[in-house]
Amino acid sequence: MYRAILAQGWGLLRWRTEDKAPGRVEDVPAPYTSLRCSACGWIEKSSRKSQAEFVCVACGFTCNADTNAAVNVAAGQVERPGRSARAGGTTRPDCLSSVREPQLI
């Protein structure tokens, strides 16, 4: 799969985007962004009901899975559960990074 991604030229796209917007392109790790509830912060694999549906088992929040992941990325909540999350899956408030608003070009 890795070769298939490389064959599509994603590296070149990232390089050109960085060239057009220096300092504004960030690499975001994708793991666990779609498993974390953007409403309460709970991380649970069974919250992902299907490819497109997210229903939090802790608070009942319902959302499109991609939208939920995008909100987590925008909020800077992309840490892995074993490293920076407490028991129960919530992230410590001091671990969240500030994220600047996207710029329209």
Side-chain angles (χ1 to χ4, degrees):
M1 173 144 170
Y2 184 69
R3 288 184 184 199
I5 293 172
L6 288 176
Q8 298 301 318
W10 293 111
L12 184 59
L13 174 65
R14 191 212 178 282
W15 179 76
R16 286 184 177 170
T17 306
E18 177 67 33
D19 191 45
K20 299 278 186 187
R24 293 179 22 204
V25 177
E26 297 179 31
D27 293 327
V28 178
Y32 303 104
T33 55
S34 64
L35 300 180
R36 179 188 302 271
C37 177
S38 58
C40 71
W42 191 263
I43 300 171
E44 179 65 45
K45 186 176 182 177
S46 61
S47 292
R48 190 74 187 263
K49 300 296 181 187
S50 68
Q51 179 66 27
E53 184 182 13
F54 179 87
V55 179
C56 181
V57 296
C59 71
F61 174 73
T62 303
C63 185
N64 178 283
D66 291 337
T67 303
N68 181 64
V71 170
N72 285 329
V73 168
Q77 297 179 348
V78 293
E79 297 88 8
R80 293 185 177 197
R83 293 186 181 171
S84 62
R86 293 181 178 169
T90 57
T91 303
R92 297 188 319 259
D94 59 337
C95 288
L96 301 178
S97 65
S98 61
V99 177
R100 67 182 162 207
E101 293 293 320
Q103 303 280 326
L104 296 177
I105 298 176

